[in-house]
Amino acid sequence: MRAVVSSVDPSTGSPAGPFDPLDPLDPSAGKASLRRALLDARAGLSADDRDRHAAALAERALELPELAEAGTVAAYVSVGREPGTRALLDSLRARGVRVLLPVLLPDNDLDWAVYEGADRLAKAGRGLLEPVGERLGPEVVREAGAVLLPGLAVDARGMRLGRGGGSYDRVLARLVRAGTDPALVVLLYANEVVTRVPEEPHDHPVHAVVTPEGVRRFRP
């Protein structure tokens, strides 16, 4: 069982980063409205902001025992104003971790290939960057000891709000069917840890969220 631990703001004693961009973040507003509000907040970040947050995010994530103990980590390449993952990918690879990166399939499911360095990434559809190595099949994600998930928000219950494409819903369903139990970790900015997001029956809680300010853990 994974312990429930929160990072805290030393000045307030509160969990680091939660906010309610819609004051409060009202689940009845619907996922589309919440996504727009969160993407608008990201749009205000400068390039310097993104670089600074990416370095801090990598530092915090590398402290996670779930990543230290995993021989294989399923991750992704950040694009645009997403919380930056590239420094983290390189650090994991330098540690000898087998890093799997997604390849988007025509039906929005994900295939996977091993990360072999930034020079082995290629531009793909929807502005994505994908590994150019051998495709290992959608089921290989079951070999991961930890899965790093993109998202727009996580709430106080560990429920994640994604972009709505459904790709990671399929990944999570595949892990559940297989009976595997990797650590599910979302990488976000601190202001994206919120009170509550809408959920649907197929949604799964994550185990932890990492922000540049720290780590917050949820139920196992």
Side-chain angles (χ1 to χ4, degrees):
M1 179 172 293
R2 297 180 175 89
V4 179
V5 180
S6 300
S7 62
V8 297
D9 181 331
S11 65
T12 65
S14 299
F19 91 133
D20 293 330
L22 299 183
D23 195 25
L25 186 56
D26 181 0
S28 67
K31 288 187 175 182
S33 296
L34 302 184
R35 289 186 180 109
R36 283 195 298 271
L38 293 158
L39 288 169
D40 286 347
R42 284 186 179 181
L45 291 169
S46 69
D48 286 343
D49 289 334
R50 296 196 299 274
D51 290 345
R52 176 169 48 83
H53 288 315
L57 188 69
E59 182 178 351
R60 299 290 182 267
L62 289 169
E63 294 170 354
L64 284 174
E66 291 90 339
L67 295 189
E69 296 166 4
T72 297
V73 173
Y76 62 96
V77 183
S78 59
V79 295
R81 289 178 170 83
E82 286 185 311
T85 65
R86 300 192 199 189
L88 176 57
L89 298 179
D90 287 334
S91 295
L92 288 171
R93 183 168 176 258
R95 284 182 173 184
V97 176
R98 179 192 186 213
V99 179
L100 301 176
L101 295 180
V103 177
L104 186 66
L105 297 174
D107 64 355
N108 279 351
D109 204 350
L110 297 179
D111 202 338
W112 300 87
V114 173
Y115 178 53
E116 299 174 331
D119 59 342
R120 294 280 290 165
L121 297 174
K123 292 182 178 179
R126 304 185 189 180
L128 300 175
L129 289 171
E130 296 179 344
V132 300
E134 177 188 0
R135 297 336 190 212
L136 302 176
E139 300 297 328
V140 75
V141 71
R142 297 183 301 173
E143 299 175 12
V147 179
L148 304 182
L149 303 166
L152 292 174
V154 166
D155 71 17
R157 305 164 300 158
M159 301 307 296
R160 165 185 161 271
L161 177 70
R163 284 182 174 264
S167 297
Y168 280 89
D169 291 331
R170 297 190 187 193
V171 170
L172 294 174
R174 182 169 288 123
L175 295 173
V176 169
R177 287 196 304 271
T180 57
D181 186 32
L184 304 177
V185 180
V186 184
L187 306 177
L188 296 175
Y189 298 112
N191 64 325
E192 295 167 346
V193 182
V194 301
T195 303
R196 193 175 181 91
V197 300
E199 65 179 284
E200 299 178 35
H202 62 264
D203 290 333
H204 298 279
V206 301
H207 298 116
V209 58
V210 181
T211 74
E213 286 70 23
V215 175
R216 183 170 182 176
R217 297 180 183 277
F218 307 102
R219 62 189 181 188

